[in-house]
Amino acid sequence: MSTQTKWVYSFGDGHAEGRADMRNLLGGKGAGLAEMCMLGLPVPSGFTITTDVCTYFYAHDRLYPESLKGEVNNALAEVEKAVGCGFGDPANPLLLSVRSGARASMPGMMDTILNLGLNNATVEGLAKISQDARFAYDSYRRFIQMYSAVVLDISLHKFEDIIEDVKRARGFALDTEMTAHDWREVVTAYLQIVQKERGKAFPQDVHEQLWGAIGAVFGSWMNQRAITYRRLNDIPADWGTAVNVQAMVFGNKGEDCCTGVAFTRNPSTGENSFYGEYLVNAQGEDVVAGIRTPQHLTIKGKEENDSDLLAMEEVMPDVFKQLNDVRLKLESHYRDMQDIEFTVQHGKLYMLQTRTGKRTAMAALRIAVEMVKEGTIGKEEAIKRIEPSSLDQLLHPTLDPKAERQVIAKGLPASPGAASGIVVFTADEAEDMAGKGRKVILCRVETSPEDIHGMHAAQGIVTSRGGMTSHAAVVARGMGRACVAGAGELSMDYAKGEMRVKDIIVKAGEAITIDGATGEIMLGEVPSVQPELSGDFATLMQWADSVRTLKVRTNAETPLDARTAVKFGAEGIGLCRTEHMFFDTSRIIAMREMILAENTQGRRKALDKLLPMQQKDFEDLFTIMDGLPVTIRLLDPPLHEFLPKTKAEIEDVAKYAGVDVAQVERRAAMLHETNPMLGHRGCRLGISYPEISEMQAHAIFGAVIAMKKQGKTVLPEVMIPLVALKKELDILAKVVHDAADAMMKESGIKFDYMVGTMIELPRAALRAGGIAQTAEFFSFGTNDLTQTTFGLSRDDSASFLPDYYRTGIMALDPFVTIDQDGVGELIKIASERGRATREDLKLGICGEHGGDPASIRFCHKLGLNYVSCSPYRVPIARLAAAQAAIENDRDVQARLNAA
Amino acid sequence: MSTQTKWVYSFGDGHAEGRADMRNLLGGKGAGLAEMCMLGLPVPSGFTITTDVCTYFYAHDRLYPESLKGEVNNALAEVEKAVGCGFGDPANPLLLSVRSGARASMPGMMDTILNLGLNNATVEGLAKISQDARFAYDSYRRFIQMYSAVVLDISLHKFEDIIEDVKRARGFALDTEMTAHDWREVVTAYLQIVQKERGKAFPQDVHEQLWGAIGAVFGSWMNQRAITYRRLNDIPADWGTAVNVQAMVFGNKGEDCCTGVAFTRNPSTGENSFYGEYLVNAQGEDVVAGIRTPQHLTIKGKEENDSDLLAMEEVMPDVFKQLNDVRLKLESHYRDMQDIEFTVQHGKLYMLQTRTGKRTAMAALRIAVEMVKEGTIGKEEAIKRIEPSSLDQLLHPTLDPKAERQVIAKGLPASPGAASGIVVFTADEAEDMAGKGRKVILCRVETSPEDIHGMHAAQGIVTSRGGMTSHAAVVARGMGRACVAGAGELSMDYAKGEMRVKDIIVKAGEAITIDGATGEIMLGEVPSVQPELSGDFATLMQWADSVRTLKVRTNAETPLDARTAVKFGAEGIGLCRTEHMFFDTSRIIAMREMILAENTQGRRKALDKLLPMQQKDFEDLFTIMDGLPVTIRLLDPPLHEFLPKTKAEIEDVAKYAGVDVAQVERRAAMLHETNPMLGHRGCRLGISYPEISEMQAHAIFGAVIAMKKQGKTVLPEVMIPLVALKKELDILAKVVHDAADAMMKESGIKFDYMVGTMIELPRAALRAGGIAQTAEFFSFGTNDLTQTTFGLSRDDSASFLPDYYRTGIMALDPFVTIDQDGVGELIKIASERGRATREDLKLGICGEHGGDPASIRFCHKLGLNYVSCSPYRVPIARLAAAQAAIENDRDVQARLNAA
């Protein structure tokens, strides 16, 4: 980097070098502090070391830019001047806080050090100036404790033990009983611990303290919990954190002091009322520590929560009024609900932070809609304000927050929603019990396509193995079933019909409750509440729909899913996976008979049995979709997925098919594949066994004709999967066209339909120009396209992707958010080459990414016609599509006005 | 197609509408006949229906172009005029032959009909004109028989039975004893068979006969044996065949008639002497049928083969002289050895075919080199003449052609060479027995990386499952071991220590012989002969080397392979697969210990044991390669490939590693992957366990330092596999650079090395621009790049690729010859983007394709620096690279002159 780079930005005293819009450089906290200074709000002086330093730090083996030291010293001198104290001055010491502050809020993930600048000399000065030796030594011991834990990596409990020892010796119960003398004794003991643990004394040089703290904060950007948090919240590792160094103010200097946090509106409900908590005579960390119960800011808050403790509004009415003015000023300045931190020192208010407040989805909707009505923001802004993924919270039942719960294990929050039911361990059992009207939770080590019927029958699914994109997770999200995946503590014992966590045994038939939004598994039935799609939701979605150009379809094959999706606003089916229709108990037998057949004739016989069932499925779907387009994908998975695995099942199948067990086993062995993902599946099945595709075409068009006879409109789009070569598509498109021609002729009824393909292999993307000669539409199968482009198995990557997040190779799971650089380029190439051949080529996406907001944005930019996602993600996709339009299109305002 | 298209080309009487260079349109036979006419050689009049008609035929549901009929009629009229007979004229009938003729010779694969134009009326005319009723009726019965088999699809044996019946009734032994009357009786019976089998009379209308025959010949382009032949010989289905219709001449009209086939030089040895066979008083098919023993053309041939039968040179000296003149004229005209067919009718010579003659590799070399010396062709032409793949014949031992052999089964000719040895069923046994000095053949259902040491120890490998690109086949070709793969008739019984074919049982310890060039498996030890790389070979390869710009390296990791490759002219190692070094019995234990380790420390302990062994491996390789570049790929396969599979092995490992069996099993279960090809392998291992990469880097540089201390030059290129993201490479390149820096510092010895990557994933190809910032070279891993680009598992595709060849979706196996349209575009993109970043980026290819001539041509065109292939393909690659240079470069002649 050039030596011109400015690494440090000062603020305080009504001036600041930074601004709110320099958030990327200064972090959220730094930008907020600067902006508050500019607004004339009372902010303790300080400075921000930029995120660029963090980037430099990690790019240069944890070294700092050369000019940093000088800039810090200059900024520090300014703070000294503003505050009127000297850093390290025993007579009048300046104390500092050193805090992280990333572009996005990462609460509690990184390190903070308070009271920095205290040493054996300055502590005495502080005691003298504050005329409060107890406060001074308490501050010093807090500092040593924090610094030792964060910078020197000494376990906190060693320090806590000492306080306990002293309290025990004195017969004290609370810290507040400790005297100045006691704290001094603690400090002495603390300093000894540091000497013993680190072999050298606690740093008395305040500059050494400062640089130690700065280094620790930058270092904490790469601690494990920060990495995990970033991954879970899609925050790239290369953003880096800033470090904020600021003069200390103290809320713990007496009864005219306090510290608190507040939201400018209610973050749970969105109600426009001041909402927050404070503690008298306390430092910020005491609020967090939870030792004392915080008090409400307002009388309203106190009353609503039946609190006996006095509100700030009552205790310090003047300062409260000041604070409320700050609240209004910040809201009107930022035009959004703010989350603020403040400290009152001897009756004087100091603002320590302002940032956009986190809120529930419900609150977000209410705030956005109300701010539009108040005239604070426009509809565009309101649409942009809602995090699309957050809508998920509103669509599923949730646990009653007041209910008691006994959590026995935690897994991944794989599919949201709360569900209770009795434990079952097999899909058949799930179906049986559900048939008898029981609610069940299907518990498996992992699930496979054969479990689909059981997953459908269940209220929720638990697995002890697998990640967020495991079969169980993906299918459950698609079905809108609650799912907790990869709960590794659970050990399943199918034979005994039980599962264990430590010494707890849960037997089949016992009730459990799962929360798919948190990953918790609880004993017994915990009450839940049904979602209400409030008026604000409807209002905002209506605005969104008027703005977006990208259509939103759903991935669905069951009537339930289709109906759910339509309720959520789906504009068609983008992916009907016909194979799911074959796993049904009544059908899998015929399917297996087909697979076991030794020749075309035998296969045809079995297919003839499947034909009417499949046609009926399509009639049901067409009826529900009522004239909306329905994309039907021909059989995709390798045939071995349909074959039985257990001995008993194999015997069943042999009996039914009238062959011996050895033959079933032989066939299964023949069909075994080393890499089934790259095996005999997709259109390859149709090439080998065209009679399967033919049956499916007949079922589709049979259903179309049945609908037409009832006077209904149907728009079927037949999709050939896994095409790599144009000729594959040519051959199977001909099978479909021939079936359509024959059935039109036979029935005398004409109907429209399209034939297209999935683009899910790199070769297909590259050869899209030729493929579009035959295909009338492309649907990007981004799951498989991601697998092949990366050479990465979705089923196997969970074991090593954590290493990728840890080392910063990947920030986001490519199976959740499209890898725009690699997979994205192939989608772009395919779109361009396809449309160069066929100008009106319809383009859509039907992978899991179709429900991911970032991916939807990308699809909008590429000019796709639609995305298709699981039913419960339809509203999310609608909103994300609207946001994409707002970000990219010029005529959004006109669309809003026209709406 | 436009109505302007000319569908029919006439020839005869010293004139022709076609030429030799119209081979694509007229087929080889048609072009040859036309050219011979132009040369003034005696050719019976006729016409060629073009290959375009074949293409049209298959594109239009087996219909002909509208104008074809008229053109055929016109051409037929010309023939009638030239010959002076009328087609269907009972008084003076014109008889025709109808033959296929594709662009490439496909001997015996398609249909032929002779004597067409005979019916109940014309046969009498023929009898009269020829004054030979026996000849006329014999011709008629031959025609009915051929036409019925080919056009009417009636089984030949029904006709043969009749002849047998008549002969038995008459008490005849030979056909020649049959009289005109007998043949007439046969004809009557034949006509009855046709009536009975097809429900209608044999066509008497000669035009119906002609169109039936034409249709059958076009139809035979798509018969199963033609499709199979094309696939085996890389002939595209869309080339199509031409149909040649020609006036009949008869070699069976008496003792002054004959028919024969000849080569202008000896096709086995290449010797410049006339070589061929003939039969007096016979028709062409009699030579093929093998009922009579053919006689030699020349006295020299007769004597060399100890034949008692008279040579043509003796029997018909005048006609022979004419024929010899034709031979010389054709050779000097075509400037290549010709394969000719002729018929002599009443002492008059007719030429029926000339085409470039097929020859052994040895003959091809001799002919090419001698023709250069004779001044007939230039060196460029000589280089172009040799089919690179044919050199394979010269590099391996072959079975003594004179030895007796008892073939018990046939599999795929997976890796050439003949090998004998005793049967063993496990890799360990192979190693044991080989250690005791026994030659062994390793027989397995299929092989896995764990069998490598056994494959190495064996003379040859047999598998009962797997295709041409199965593990066994690929590894065997790489090692130069003979291999017969996928011999499905063999059933292996490891438990009993035997294998069975039908009722033959071969026990462990019994000797067998395999021929990897034919796929034959024989009982006992069949003598073989060692290859001799003759002077012609050396001469031609020297010319080739002077022309080519593409370097040729080898894929090798064992000293034996490396030495073999150097002997064959390898210019470095392009791929040293380090994992192969870990499968060795003495090392796999340490490897497994590493895999079972629970933490980094445990892994390091095991790696420390592997380090000296691995370093020794590299020292050996560097010594053999003596200053040539050596590309070393870091560990690539998923770790589970190293884990034991059998209970006994698991127990062994548990014992050695000091853990219990359950732990080994648990670890194996943890490492199990659904799609190992897309799993935790390649650089992903290094990201998770950098200590493995570190150990390998230390071993490499340790070996380099040891070499440098001996004053030797070493050029190591460290290759990081399976990179998809630049950061993966960054991290592992740093591990390698750090190791190099540390070791240079420690040893005080400086050395050169490079760090690069394999480009084997579509994403890496697309992101090559960024990757080249870190990578100093790219090596295209086209095996995996093909798997991921197509989404096609090499291990699983054998089950359905035959359907792809059958339906014409694919002409070539994409794992053998690079798919230029898809995979090739990615290679092109990666090359361009990589070199845009780093102008001198070294580019190579190390997949199986590196030894495939068509792929090598493609690599040359893309501007790659080198190809790397298995040792036994090095000469093939050198020649193919030379041919690519000749086809593409302008300054080839200068290079040849400079050489």
Side-chain angles (χ1 to χ4, degrees), chain B residues 712-725:
Chain B
K712 291 185 177 150
T713 313
V714 198
L715 284 176
E717 302 176 345
V718 183
M719 180 153 77
I720 316 289
L722 210 73
V723 162
L725 300 118

Side-chain angles (χ1 to χ4, degrees), chain A residues 688 728 803-804 825 833, chain B residues 688 728 803-804 819 825 833:
Chain A
S688 295
E728 293 173 319
D803 298 327
Y804 274 57
E825 180 172 4
R833 296 185 180 178
Chain B
S688 295
E728 293 172 320
D803 298 327
Y804 273 58
D819 157 52
E825 181 172 3
R833 295 185 181 179

Side-chain angles (χ1 to χ4, degrees), chain A residues 586-604:
Chain A
S586 61
R587 298 168 185 197
I588 192 143
I589 294 271
M591 191 66 191
R592 286 171 176 166
E593 189 187 332
M594 196 243 347
I595 296 167
L596 291 169
E598 308 246 319
N599 51 36
T600 309
Q601 201 182 351
R603 274 190 296 278
R604 281 196 190 279

Side-chain angles (χ1 to χ4, degrees), chain B residues 689-710:
Chain B
Y689 313 118
E691 54 276 11
I692 299 179
S693 312
E694 207 180 295
M695 179 282 279
Q696 295 201 288
H698 278 113
I700 294 167
F701 297 129
V704 171
I705 289 168
M707 290 293 106
K708 294 281 273 188
K709 282 185 180 161
Q710 297 171 36

Side-chain angles (χ1 to χ4, degrees), chain A residues 838-892:
Chain A
R838 188 188 286 267
E839 215 176 321
D840 63 346
L841 185 70
K842 197 189 272 194
L843 298 175
I845 171 177
C846 65
E848 278 284 296
H849 303 91
D852 169 67
S855 308
I856 292 167
R857 240 171 246 132
F858 182 67
C859 292
H860 176 86
K861 269 193 272 184
L862 286 188
L864 265 51
N865 300 91
Y866 68 87
V867 298
S868 186
C869 55
S870 53
Y872 278 84
R873 295 199 78 83
V874 167
I876 296 168
R878 286 162 65 198
L879 180 54
Q883 293 181 347
I886 290 171
E887 282 162 26
N888 292 286
D889 301 355
R890 284 162 182 244
D891 54 346
V892 167

